[in-house]
């Protein structure tokens, strides 16, 4: 399964094309739209989330509520485009365009992208670099999760800590409803209250905040990915897609960074076997992968999200036209997008896992895939 997205933050729409889905997968907009609503939520979001009410259109590859095997095309309209149609018009002329951006923002793609593509109006960089692009990738992730659900895979995305506050309530799958109801997607009500207070303070001073997001998956079969080729290692592919989320600057699988400071006897997960259950571990410090493959234990992915680069109290920079000192440009932005980023991490990790299932089990129809997965599960239990 592969996919491509296109579209700009203030263009008419975002488009995604997914190729390689099996036929006969039940799929409707109601499998996707709840993910888009979750991505738009979270305390600390800006005015753009008021303007946009993201919903998806399925314009190819699905008929009568089932995939046909053809490429699936998804579209999300940008409601704000009506205010930007002249500025974003693809026709030549009207230059310099209104809302041209020349004061590069520290921490954003503006300067490096302007140098790379020879743009002096940095809007030609930021429109695609914007995290608005992740709306379509979340839609693609929702389709991937729909496929994974037929293999018995469950998932959750949440915030482990943000704004300098760590959740002190350990994650439990029974807390999923609590996470979904939390405005900051945290397990700990006390931490949630303190985070909200700090977000309000940061907004008042024109600052932004980051945090640590986590995604977990259970029900995975062992052996997804490969030890044979570096580019097929599951943990490597998960790390790459996590780092592709705007503002993510670090990734760990399981307790990866903590493990690096301990002796091996306190790190590796002992293996046990039980009749009817097969192989299992009593610990999961590896986070569900060994040697580039899934172990069958929970996949645990954490990512570090830096504070958003657009500050309402801007940092010093240089104007790329005049080369004179300037204050960094101020685009409409969030105080924090950490809760939304946890939804994005969960969605995108699901894409990697769906790809891994399709690579391992093949099949042109959903029924073929499910039958092969179930047969492999029995093999794993009795091996």
């Amino acid at each position: 399964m592969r996919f491509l997205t296109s579209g700009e933050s203030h263009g008419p729409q975002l488009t995604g094309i997914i190729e390689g889905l099996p036929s006969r997968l039940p799929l409707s907009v109601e499998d996707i739209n709840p993910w888009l609503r979750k991505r738009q939520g979270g305390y600390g979001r800006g005015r753009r989330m008021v303007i946009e009410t993201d919903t998806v259109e399925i314009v190819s590859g699905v008929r009568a509520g089932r995939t046909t095997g053809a490429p699936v095309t998804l579209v999300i309209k940008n409601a704000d485009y009506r205010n930007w149609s002249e500025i974003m018009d693809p026709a030549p002329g009207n230059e310099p365009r209104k809302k041209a951006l020349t004061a590069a923002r520290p921490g954003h793609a503006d300067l490096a992208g302007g140098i790379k593509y020879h743009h002096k109006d940095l809007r030609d960089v930021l429109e695609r670099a914007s995290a608005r692009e992740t709306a379509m990738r979340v839609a693609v992730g929702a389709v991937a999760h729909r496929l994974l659900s037929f293999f018995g895979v469950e998932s959750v995305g949440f915030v482990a800590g943000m704004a300098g506050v760590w959740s002190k309530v350990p994650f439990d799958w029974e807390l999923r409803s609590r996470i979904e109801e939390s405005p900051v997607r945290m397990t700990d009500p006390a931490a949630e209250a303190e985070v909200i207070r700090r977000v309000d303070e940061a907004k008042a001073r024109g600052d932004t905040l980051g945090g640590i997001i986590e995604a977990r998956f259970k029900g995975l079969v062992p052996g997804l990915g490969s030890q044979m080729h570096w580019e097929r290692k599951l943990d490597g592919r998960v790390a790459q897609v996590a780092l592709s989320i705007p503002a993510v600057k670090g990734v760990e699988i399981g307790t990866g960074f903590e493990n690096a400071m301990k002796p091996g006897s306190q790190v590796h997960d002992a293996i046990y076997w039980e009749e009817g259950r097969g192989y299992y571990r009593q610990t999961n410090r590896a986070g569900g992968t060994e040697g580039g493959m899934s172990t069958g234990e929970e996949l645990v992915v954490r990512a570090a999200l830096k504070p958003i680069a657009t500050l309402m109290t801007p940092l010093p920079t240089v104007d790329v036209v005049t080369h004179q000192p300037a204050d960094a440009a101020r685009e409409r932005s969030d105080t924090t997008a950490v809760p939304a980023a946890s939804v994005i991490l969960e969605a995108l990790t699901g894409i990697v896992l769906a790809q891994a299932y399709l690579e391992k089990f093949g099949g042109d129809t959903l029924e073929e895939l499910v039958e092969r997965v179930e047969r492999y599960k029995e093999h794993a239990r009795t091996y």
Side-chain angles (χ1 to χ4, degrees):
M1 184 185 86
R2 56 182 179 171
F3 71 98
L4 179 70
T5 73
S6 67
E8 287 77 39
S9 180
H10 294 100
Q13 67 183 45
L14 302 172
T15 305
I17 301 176
I18 312 170
E19 193 271 335
L21 286 170
S23 70
R24 300 181 57 77
L25 171 68
L27 185 65
S28 75
V29 296
E30 290 309 313
D31 297 312
I32 302 171
N33 285 337
W35 284 85
L36 298 179
R37 287 193 291 271
K38 286 198 298 182
R39 177 197 164 275
Q40 288 196 283
Y43 198 79
R45 301 303 299 275
R47 287 183 55 246
R48 184 71 187 270
M49 297 306 106
V50 178
I51 296 169
E52 304 290 350
T53 305
D54 288 344
T55 56
V56 74
E57 299 175 43
I58 301 175
V59 298
S60 78
V62 177
R63 184 166 180 262
R66 295 186 301 274
T67 56
T68 64
V72 172
T73 303
L74 308 176
V75 169
I76 300 172
K77 300 288 189 182
N78 285 330
D80 204 19
Y81 178 64
R82 61 179 176 267
N83 300 314
W84 291 75
S85 57
E86 180 184 353
I87 298 163
M88 298 300 295
D89 188 352
N94 295 325
E95 293 186 288
R97 295 284 172 96
K98 297 176 182 177
K99 293 187 181 289
L101 189 147
T102 59
R105 293 164 293 174
H108 210 287
D110 300 346
L111 182 57
I115 294 171
K116 176 179 174 66
Y117 292 105
H118 294 206
H119 295 311
K120 285 292 187 175
D121 180 355
L122 301 179
R123 183 160 301 284
D124 291 334
V125 176
L126 73 90
E127 283 289 331
R128 182 61 180 171
S130 167
R132 177 73 184 147
E133 177 270 341
T134 63
M136 181 49 69
R137 281 198 284 164
V138 167
V140 174
V143 176
H145 279 259
R146 182 63 171 148
L147 178 61
L148 290 172
S149 70
F150 286 89
F151 308 144
V153 177
E154 299 180 56
S155 67
V156 65
F158 61 98
V159 174
M162 62 180 286
V165 180
W166 288 97
S167 174
K168 294 182 180 178
V169 176
F171 171 78
D172 189 280
W173 287 93
E174 298 299 319
L175 293 173
R176 276 187 291 181
S177 60
R178 204 279 160 202
I179 291 167
E180 297 298 336
E181 293 166 2
S182 168
V184 291
R185 298 188 66 82
M186 296 183 84
T187 57
D188 184 347
E192 173 186 295
E194 178 60 16
V195 163
I196 289 172
R197 188 187 70 80
R198 295 190 185 192
V199 170
D200 290 341
E201 286 184 347
K203 182 177 181 180
R205 64 177 184 266
D207 213 340
T208 57
L209 298 169
I212 306 296
I213 55 178
E214 187 167 321
R216 290 184 177 235
F217 290 76
K218 68 176 181 177
L220 298 172
V221 298
L224 298 173
S226 176
Q227 88 284 10
M228 298 295 187
H229 304 286
W230 67 267
E231 77 277 12
R232 292 181 61 196
K233 289 179 178 287
L234 185 67
D235 41 12
R237 293 166 68 176
V238 167
Q240 191 280 325
V241 79
L243 284 166
S244 77
I245 299 170
V248 167
K249 300 296 282 186
V251 182
E252 69 173 341
I253 309 294
T255 51
F257 291 113
E258 182 183 333
N259 291 351
M261 305 303 288
K262 294 180 177 180
S265 58
Q266 297 177 26
V267 168
H268 302 295
D269 304 305
I271 301 171
Y272 303 90
W273 189 87
E274 185 178 297
E275 185 75 39
R277 179 181 180 182
Y279 298 93
Y280 67 96
R281 321 293 176 103
Q282 293 181 341
T283 58
N284 188 28
R285 303 181 191 99
T289 69
E290 287 179 342
M293 295 170 287
S294 59
T295 63
E297 302 296 325
E298 285 183 21
L299 178 64
V300 182
V301 187
R302 278 190 166 194
L305 194 81
K306 70 176 183 178
I308 291 168
T310 300
L311 303 178
M312 294 302 104
T313 303
L315 295 171
T317 188
V318 173
D319 187 291
V320 299
V321 173
T322 67
H323 294 160
Q324 295 301 306
D327 286 337
R330 284 174 285 187
E331 288 281 300
R332 180 177 54 215
S333 185
D334 306 325
T335 303
T336 185
V338 175
S342 71
V343 176
I344 298 168
L345 179 64
E346 180 188 1
L348 300 194
T349 305
I351 295 174
V352 173
L353 294 173
Q355 290 170 330
Y357 268 94
L358 289 168
E359 289 166 6
K360 180 164 181 56
F361 297 104
D364 296 313
T365 70
L366 178 65
E367 290 85 353
E368 285 179 294
L369 278 164
V370 170
E371 190 272 332
R372 291 173 184 180
V373 170
E374 291 303 316
R375 191 164 64 239
Y376 182 80
K377 286 180 179 179
E378 182 59 27
H379 158 74
R381 279 192 295 267
T382 58
Y383 168 78

